Amino acid sequence: MPKRKCTFNISLQNKYPFIKQRSGESDVTCEKCRTDFSVGHGGASDIEKHLKSEKHKLSDQAAALSSSMLSFFKRTILAT
């Protein structure tokens, strides 16, 4: 007897806010590393597996090491 297919739901969205649903109910995109994958087989465990992938780890490190664009601009306060 086949198992039911897992879907991306509100609880997964709350736990992983950087994971967004794509066209299908189990197809998602990681906004940190721009990777598309499915949560249809294991649900949250598929996301945890993706978080341990080398591509996601490298992308996460690069984002942490990058300077914010705000540090390049001088902030001015306008008086009204």
Side-chain angles (χ1 to χ4, degrees), residues 34 38 65-66:
R34 302 287 183 216
S38 174
L65 294 174
S66 296

Side-chain angles (χ1 to χ4, degrees), residues 35-72:
T35 302
D36 298 332
F37 61 99
S38 174
V39 294
H41 178 69
S45 64
D46 286 337
I47 296 174
E48 290 294 329
K49 182 179 175 184
H50 168 72
L51 295 179
K52 293 177 185 175
S53 72
E54 195 65 27
K55 182 177 180 179
H56 184 83
K57 287 179 184 178
L58 290 174
S59 180
D60 212 15
Q61 283 178 340
L65 294 174
S66 296
S67 298
S68 172
M69 287 297 291
L70 296 176
S71 64
F72 293 104

Side-chain angles (χ1 to χ4, degrees), residues 11-50:
S11 64
L12 290 176
Q13 178 67 47
N14 292 336
K15 188 173 181 182
Y16 307 102
F18 52 90
I19 303 289
K20 301 295 181 193
Q21 187 173 6
R22 288 189 311 142
S23 58
E25 56 187 22
S26 62
D27 297 327
V28 296
T29 298
C30 176
E31 291 188 337
K32 288 187 176 184
C33 63
R34 302 287 183 216
T35 302
D36 298 332
F37 61 99
S38 174
V39 294
H41 178 69
S45 64
D46 286 337
I47 296 174
E48 290 294 329
K49 182 179 175 184
H50 168 72

